[in-house]
Amino acid sequence: MGQRHQLFVIARINGRYRQLCAIHHQWLYGHTALRRCRDTLNILGNTTNRIRIQQELIAASKKDDDFWLVGDRNKNDHVPFPFIMTCLITGSSFNVDGYYHGVAVEPFYMAYDEGDNNNGITVFDISEPDNVRYCFVDFMGMESERKVELNTPLSARTYLEAYYMLDESNDEAGLLPLLESFEGRNLVTKGALVETWPDGAWDHRSLSSDADARSNLDTADPPDLGGLNVTDVPGDRPATMTNAGESNEAVAEGKPKSLRDQAMDRLLDVLLDPSEQDVPGLMAEADHLHDFIPSLRQRLYDQASVLKPSAANISLLHKALEGATIVDLSPFTALTAGHLSTLVAQLQKGHNSMKVLNLSNMPDLTESDLELILNIGNGSETPSVTAIIILETPKISLEFASHHLGNYDVYHSELFRRPLYEPHNSFPPLHDDGRSLLPALQFDAPDSISQVVVVGISSAQSCDVELRPEDGRFNWSSMKFSNEVESYGDDPAISYMNFLLDIPLPVSKTIQSLRRLLQYMPSAQTFEFEGCFTGAARCFATTSVLDDDGYSVGPLSQTLSEDQQRFRRPAIQSGKNQYLKPGRWAIVLIHEAFDARDQAYLDKKAARVLGKAGDTVRAFKPLKRLRYMLAQAIPKAESSGPRYTIVDVPGYIENLVKDVDQVGKIKTWWAKETSALPAGSGYYDDSDAHAILDRVYSEEGFSGGVSV
């Protein structure tokens, strides 16, 4: 049963189109397919995601021809590009407004017509970072109201009109504004589809004209971007480079350079080989040229792989990168760790804007090198850097990252790959009950979030007067608790799970994640308790230390995520509860009426149930809502009273952020962002909050438990 649909990402790598990843969606068609396509386009085109996507495109360009052949794969090769896969999964399975549907990872080389399909496929072409393309394809005859042309790229309008009659005078479903969000989006060309899947049933006669030219969009084949190295400095990005190291702009124009450009080239030649010139004097004059810094940056990236490791060149790099928010050092493979450390230290001084440091695709970068570059262990680590991108760095283990990079937002290939594995595959190994045998992972950082506790109360339980005996509050101490995911619906036991958090969650991401959770969960109908934490995993994954537009993607928590295998229960890291280690924090989420469609549905159910009870003295209004608290375990020696410190977000900030002005700004932001939450959602400030934690962390539940 289902309305099945597959989604693919392709790109032009080293002169030909290649397929990078594929997923299966069990229920996707009509306007929902457009909404998921729109969100995925926004994710793949997001500025902060772009540099991470680019790193995996560079990795793809280094694969040999045998890698792309269809056949048996090494266990990890089913997900060779885990960041791009995470982008695809997140965009197609989740929206903070309340949408969630699980998806299944397929082998990256899966044919476009290989999946069980009812409603076509969606294809994304990420060859051009600034111009991500899309198309829908019907290859067999969709289950739609109207037929469309087979085996050709379909625009959003064409696909949507297969299911609905569009009417400007009656558009209650909001289909016309949805179509407007696709305006200016270019389609994947048929030539790209044919090159990606040459054995497909394409109509080759229409390739010259491109079947969807009627969309009036630019459908020219995009340039080959395989193996690029560019810096991503917002507002001042260099021209992209060809594999030969020449500017695409100059090559495309084919025009002779102006005298000014020739003079700039000569100046840069001298600065990069200052054998007999007065470099300080030239630099003083060059500083007055408005295009000097962009030109210098472009030249340095052109010559990155052969740039000589000298003090003079480090000084030039510092000048070119000073003021950049995202600093990409990955192309400078000829520089030693010592030189990179010096450069990073210089960028930290003065007017420092560096927030993200990219050291990806450096196969020789070691853990010792990274310690030196970041000054780890010397008491003066890079204070302004909040995110470290170390994709495709095989000599830096995830274990090292978890022990030494806990204060950073970390982007490591294995961290993205952990929750993504292909069904019928041996990676990762599983218990008989489906739980992962991957080693536990936790990022070490003082005062960090180490656990997520989810308490789920069904709509039936929310309306039960026996569970709410006095003023509508739950009698936590007398209620039965169950940590079995199957416990929901009319079961009298309150469902709960506590999870080891296996992703880095710096303070800013903690706050953003909570804000997104408070928006998402009251709007979501999860049906089953496990939907509470799979949605939470997406909320954590769609926050960033750099921006907050909801489209920046980070790693999915393996412990919170639904297994990407079909029909499996969530991957619970351990069958036993875990203590909350003194000094560490837990995010505690109490989700009431999680299985209710909306508040109106819950109101009707409450009227039926409470009406039958005939109870007017203890009348209360059940709410579909999410409440939270941040709890820190107190060492027993320090307190004979409560075992936990319980605070809201402002209190959490006051505990962890030393800058008074920053605390004030965060509080103001939080108050604004949470001002329009659904009724009752927000901080759990009831006096019985400790009773919830006493039940979740009850002594009898910890036989053999561990402290984390």
Side-chain angles (χ1 to χ4, degrees):
M1 179 179 177
Q3 297 295 318
R4 303 166 187 86
H5 193 110
Q6 289 80 46
L7 302 94
F8 303 86
V9 176
I10 65 174
R12 204 169 192 183
I13 306 295
N14 294 336
R16 66 161 296 177
Y17 269 94
R18 301 290 192 181
Q19 186 175 336
L20 303 179
C21 53
I23 61 172
H24 172 92
H25 198 300
Q26 189 72 6
W27 200 274
L28 190 64
Y29 70 99
H31 69 82
T32 306
L34 261 68
R35 296 181 196 281
R36 304 287 65 78
C37 177
R38 175 201 59 197
D39 288 355
T40 305
L41 284 168
N42 287 334
I43 286 172
L44 293 171
N46 174 271
T47 301
T48 56
N49 290 335
R50 189 177 300 152
I51 194 169
R52 302 157 200 159
I53 291 173
Q54 182 190 60
Q55 297 310 310
E56 292 199 333
L57 292 179
I58 292 170
S61 72
K62 297 177 181 178
K63 304 291 187 184
D64 58 28
D65 289 341
D66 288 344
F67 172 83
W68 303 103
L69 296 177
V70 174
D72 292 334
R73 298 294 183 194
N74 174 273
K75 58 187 179 183
N76 285 349
D77 280 351
H78 284 87
V79 190
F81 311 110
F83 180 77
I84 296 173
M85 175 65 86
T86 303
C87 290
L88 181 61
I89 286 173
T90 305
S92 61
S93 67
F94 171 81
N95 184 278
V96 73
D97 291 334
Y99 177 85
Y100 171 76
H101 195 290
V103 296
V105 171
E106 300 288 357
F108 78 92
Y109 49 83
M110 175 183 177
Y112 76 96
D113 57 354
E114 187 178 344
D116 188 2
N117 192 277
N118 306 91
N119 298 96
I121 65 173
T122 307
V123 182
F124 301 95
D125 179 356
I126 60 173
S127 300
E128 293 177 279
D130 296 328
N131 179 27
V132 178
R133 296 168 179 251
Y134 82 97
C135 75
F136 300 96
V137 177
D138 180 5
F139 61 86
M140 60 180 291
M142 300 186 300
E143 296 178 2
S144 56
E145 294 296 319
R146 281 162 289 281
K147 301 300 180 183
V148 297
E149 186 177 355
L150 297 180
N151 299 307
T152 196
L154 304 176
S155 66
R157 176 175 287 276
T158 302
Y159 185 84
L160 196 64
E161 287 178 337
Y163 293 90
Y164 315 99
M165 291 292 293
L166 301 182
D167 184 354
E168 294 185 7
S169 63
N170 182 18
D171 186 33
E172 295 181 1
L175 300 182
L176 295 177
L178 176 60
L179 280 178
E180 289 175 2
S181 68
F182 285 84
E183 290 183 1
R185 295 283 191 183
N186 291 339
L187 291 182
V188 178
T189 66
K190 181 175 284 189
L193 298 176
V194 171
E195 194 169 305
T196 305
W197 295 287
D199 297 328
W202 313 107
D203 181 0
H204 293 261
R205 293 172 298 175
S206 63
L207 287 179
S208 59
S209 59
D210 204 297
D212 228 331
R214 59 182 177 274
S215 65
N216 294 320
L217 296 177
D218 172 24
T219 53
D221 279 332
D224 176 17
L225 296 189
L228 298 190
N229 286 315
V230 299
T231 183
D232 199 342
V233 182
D236 195 12
R237 186 166 175 251
T240 54
M241 298 294 104
T242 67
N243 288 334
E246 298 177 282
S247 168
N248 281 337
E249 293 176 356
V251 172
E253 292 294 333
K255 298 177 181 178
K257 290 187 176 182
S258 66
L259 291 176
R260 181 181 180 84
D261 289 341
Q262 292 180 48
M264 180 62 73
D265 285 345
R266 176 57 184 154
L267 171 62
L268 296 175
D269 289 340
V270 171
L271 290 176
L272 288 167
D273 188 15
S275 54
E276 300 178 2
Q277 301 291 332
D278 177 14
V279 173
L282 287 173
M283 289 290 289
E285 293 184 29
D287 282 338
H288 295 291
L289 302 175
H290 74 277
D291 56 345
F292 171 62
I293 294 299
S295 299
L296 174 62
R297 186 185 303 123
Q298 183 71 68
R299 176 64 73 85
L300 288 169
Y301 276 87
D302 282 357
Q303 301 181 4
S305 62
V306 294
L307 191 68
K308 296 177 181 178
S310 67
N313 285 340
I314 295 300
S315 179
L316 289 174
L317 271 170
H318 173 242
K319 193 168 193 66
L321 297 175
E322 191 174 21
T325 302
I326 302 174
V327 174
D328 181 8
L329 300 182
S330 62
F332 299 97
T333 54
L335 300 184
T336 67
H339 288 101
L340 293 174
S341 175
T342 299
L343 175 59
V344 170
Q346 290 178 1
L347 290 170
Q348 293 285 313
K349 299 176 181 177
H351 183 64
N352 177 26
S353 303
M354 180 170 56
K355 299 295 182 186
V356 179
L357 180 61
N358 179 35
L359 298 168
S360 301
N361 278 295
M362 302 181 102
D364 297 324
L365 186 71
T366 67
E367 294 170 355
S368 298
D369 292 338
L370 191 58
E371 286 184 292
L372 179 62
I373 293 168
L374 298 178
N375 210 14
I376 294 174
N378 295 328
S380 56
E381 296 173 25
T382 50
S384 72
V385 174
T386 54
I388 303 291
I389 307 174
I390 43 176
L391 301 171
E392 301 296 332
T393 51
K395 292 186 178 180
I396 299 177
S397 68
L398 187 53
E399 181 182 13
F400 170 87
S402 68
H403 289 312
H404 297 281
L405 303 178
N407 289 320
Y408 299 98
D409 192 10
V410 178
Y411 297 81
H412 187 289
S413 295
E414 292 308 310
L415 186 58
F416 283 93
R417 188 173 280 119
R418 272 175 68 92
L420 310 177
Y421 51 93
E422 204 270 332
H424 319 302
N425 194 306
S426 60
F427 178 79
L430 302 173
H431 286 287
D432 291 340
D433 60 3
R435 290 183 291 110
S436 170
L437 281 173
L438 282 173
L441 178 69
Q442 192 142 48
F443 280 75
D444 296 333
D447 300 315
S448 64
I449 301 291
S450 65
Q451 288 191 33
V452 177
V453 177
V454 185
V455 178
I457 304 169
S458 71
S459 55
Q461 294 164 339
S462 296
C463 299
D464 190 338
V465 294
E466 298 301 321
L467 300 180
R468 313 179 76 162
E470 296 179 358
D471 56 359
R473 295 185 181 185
F474 289 94
N475 186 356
W476 301 107
S477 60
S478 63
M479 290 163 65
K480 178 184 176 183
F481 271 54
S482 172
N483 65 348
E484 298 295 328
V485 295
E486 291 84 356
S487 175
Y488 64 92
D490 295 326
D491 193 310
I494 298 297
S495 300
Y496 79 97
M497 283 286 176
N498 62 325
F499 300 89
L500 303 182
L501 191 61
D502 56 345
I503 58 173
L505 206 63
V507 173
S508 61
K509 288 194 70 169
T510 299
I511 299 165
Q512 291 181 38
S513 298
L514 272 171
R515 194 266 296 168
R516 292 179 69 75
L517 281 164
L518 290 167
Q519 179 182 350
Y520 166 75
M521 281 193 169
S523 304
Q525 183 183 16
T526 58
F527 297 104
E528 296 182 344
F529 175 49
E530 60 200 66
C532 297
F533 35 87
T534 53
R538 266 68 172 175
C539 288
F540 289 136
T542 52
T543 58
S544 169
V545 297
L546 197 60
D547 63 39
D548 187 35
D549 66 357
Y551 295 115
S552 181
V553 168
L556 286 164
S557 165
Q558 188 230 347
T559 53
L560 279 171
S561 291
E562 178 185 32
D563 281 354
Q564 299 306 316
Q565 301 188 80
R566 294 187 183 93
F567 315 126
R568 279 201 178 275
R569 286 295 183 185
I572 310 302
Q573 194 71 42
S574 171
K576 297 181 181 297
N577 292 338
Q578 281 81 25
Y579 288 111
L580 184 60
K581 184 179 180 179
R584 304 297 287 270
W585 290 85
I587 296 174
V588 183
L589 305 171
I590 301 97
H591 195 185
E592 297 178 40
F594 62 82
D595 58 341
R597 184 180 303 111
D598 50 33
Q599 185 61 47
Y601 170 88
L602 185 63
D603 289 342
K604 291 179 181 179
K605 184 164 189 171
R608 293 195 304 270
V609 174
L610 298 179
K612 289 179 181 179
D615 194 327
T616 57
V617 177
R618 293 180 291 174
F620 56 87
K621 179 179 174 63
L623 294 174
K624 179 176 173 61
R625 61 179 174 177
L626 176 72
R627 290 189 284 176
Y628 80 94
M629 49 186 165
L630 291 152
Q632 186 182 43
I634 301 173
K636 290 184 179 181
E638 295 181 9
S639 174
S640 58
R643 297 162 56 194
Y644 308 95
T645 297
I646 299 176
V647 296
D648 59 2
V649 162
Y652 178 68
I653 295 303
E654 290 173 354
N655 270 276
L656 297 183
V657 179
K658 308 303 179 185
D659 187 325
V660 176
D661 291 338
Q662 187 69 7
V663 169
K665 290 178 181 178
I666 295 174
K667 286 183 176 180
T668 300
W669 177 87
W670 179 257
K672 178 183 177 182
E673 291 292 319
T674 57
S675 60
L677 291 175
S681 292
Y683 176 52
Y684 192 101
D685 57 357
D686 292 353
S687 59
D688 58 358
H690 284 275
I692 299 175
L693 295 177
D694 287 341
R695 293 308 309 275
V696 170
Y697 294 113
S698 61
E699 294 296 333
E700 62 268 23
F702 287 106
S703 173
V706 296
S707 180
V708 294

